[in-house]
Amino acid sequence: MKAAVLIAAVVVLGLAAHANAECANACSGHGTCGTKDQCTCYPNWQAADCSERTCPFGLAFVDTPQGDLNHDGSVADASGGAAVQWHNKNVYEKYPNVASTSYNSADGTEEAHFYTECSNKGTCDRESGECQCLDGYEGSSCQRTSCPNSCSGHGVCRTMQEIAEANMTKRVADRLTGGDIILTGVDSAFTYDLWDKDKNQACVCDAGWSGFDCSLRECPRGDDPMTHRSEDCLGKACRNERQVITIGCADATCHNQFQFHFRDWTGMDWTTNDMWIYAPTHGSARTTTAMDTLITNELEGLPNGAIENVRVDVSVDSNSWLITVNFIDNSGNQDFIECEDRNHRDQTDSTTTCTTASPRDGNTEESPCSNRGLCDYETGVCKCFKGFYDDDCSVQHALAL
């Protein structure tokens, strides 16, 4: 009898102990307690007692095998991956293995870039749930590369996709004799749609600055004074650019405002002041000499020496102005001077046209410091070799030895 009572007491005590068991720290208030005293954590919480936060996920820059996540003694992933608390999908235990899954690519070509915490480029602060990114990475999930030195204050940070689609980094590095051009950056726009399209970033430098972090100040460019023979210009006479701007009116009554736009060698766009230009036969039309002066002053008045020296010759053809612009100091093949009709007219039935053509492309060089000096990329000033001078070292001294 006493033995039976003792056994019953032990059973009751055991049941009581089982009834009083609970999950660790009551799952910290961030989960529910289930069988075997195991917590099932709410989203974005993890650990045995759900006390640790889960950090944001991003596509991994570099991924590695995870190992035996479900402790079944195999990493074969026969069941399609292992269920884990810190991911919203089953996680594969080894690579390669992903064919026909819903990750990034049905053929497995993107398998090394699964979603991972902090994109595998940072560590998670389990207390705050924020990623502590490694040097060179940024974003809530460390999902982007940082631009070096924040582009030194002389550029903007853009993704590879943005750069490719707008060929933002295209720059003329040098114009050789004969008109050949050496370009840097993305030459032609194209669609970039790989896994890192919005993850890897690079600096897009402001006009006049270069380098991977836009810290190098570019120097003036000019034509090498020692390469002036036809042999240096692909068998043609070496020459600077000549452009002809034609402003035409349908009748003698039109008088409109025009602007000229010009892009210099740095890629900077410049715009002249508005110019009232009357039809050549209009009573208030300027003389050809006055037009010469007006156009010359406007072009040479653009800031930063965009057009340093030009010779303008204006003539009249019926009811049109023919404006010939000869570039003197701007060597190489120049961008067109674009003409914009501001459309300020007092006769609604009068029309104007404004076009630009280049009967003579420039074929001289446009090289940093004219190949006759070294560029100081801190100051943007050329240090000319002995016997050469000017801001771009393009002039040879008469007494040079």
Side-chain angles (χ1 to χ4, degrees), residues 55-256:
C55 283
F57 278 62
L59 289 180
F61 282 87
V62 178
D63 223 336
T64 58
Q66 304 293 329
D68 187 9
L69 296 173
N70 55 5
H71 304 286
D72 64 355
S74 172
V75 291
D77 290 328
S79 61
V84 294
Q85 290 189 354
W86 42 266
H87 205 299
N88 61 354
K89 291 182 180 293
N90 285 0
V91 173
Y92 286 86
E93 297 174 322
K94 71 173 184 178
Y95 307 131
N97 197 62
V98 77
S100 301
T101 71
S102 60
Y103 278 94
N104 292 302
S105 172
D107 62 4
T109 56
E110 305 288 7
E111 188 179 356
H113 308 290
F114 286 150
Y115 284 111
T116 56
E117 203 171 23
C118 301
S119 307
N120 271 353
K121 286 299 179 182
T123 57
C124 181
D125 184 332
R126 298 298 177 195
E127 197 169 315
S128 66
E130 296 181 345
C131 290
Q132 307 296 317
C133 299
L134 302 178
D135 289 344
Y137 297 87
E138 64 183 22
S140 60
S141 61
C142 308
Q143 73 272 26
R144 299 185 303 269
T145 58
S146 304
C147 280
N149 298 325
S150 299
C151 302
S152 306
H154 302 302
V156 292
C157 202
R158 292 293 182 262
T159 66
M160 293 180 67
Q161 185 179 50
E162 291 173 322
I163 292 172
E165 291 182 349
N167 62 318
M168 290 181 175
T169 56
K170 181 178 179 179
R171 291 288 187 274
V172 176
D174 205 339
R175 295 183 191 269
L176 308 179
T177 52
D180 291 337
I181 299 175
I182 298 177
L183 298 173
T184 61
V186 178
D187 185 3
S188 301
F190 65 97
T191 300
Y192 186 85
D193 200 30
L194 297 181
W195 68 273
D196 60 344
K197 62 183 179 182
D198 57 359
K199 297 177 70 64
N200 283 317
Q201 299 188 115
C203 289
V204 178
C205 299
D206 296 336
W209 295 86
S210 62
F212 69 95
D213 61 351
C214 303
S215 63
L216 305 180
R217 191 166 188 171
E218 296 188 338
C219 286
R221 302 184 182 188
D223 180 33
D224 189 336
M226 301 299 290
T227 56
H228 56 272
R229 304 169 302 169
S230 61
E231 289 85 348
D232 300 319
C233 297
L234 297 181
K236 300 178 181 179
C238 297
R239 59 185 185 268
N240 280 354
E241 183 98 358
R242 176 185 294 162
Q243 297 182 11
V244 177
I245 304 169
T246 302
I247 299 177
C249 279
D251 52 53
T253 62
C254 66
H255 59 285
N256 294 5

Side-chain angles (χ1 to χ4, degrees), residues 248-272:
C249 279
D251 52 53
T253 62
C254 66
H255 59 285
N256 294 5
Q257 279 186 317
F258 292 87
Q259 284 182 341
F260 292 160
H261 306 282
F262 180 70
R263 176 170 292 180
D264 66 15
W265 65 269
T266 69
M268 179 71 78
D269 294 314
W270 303 98
T271 300
T272 66

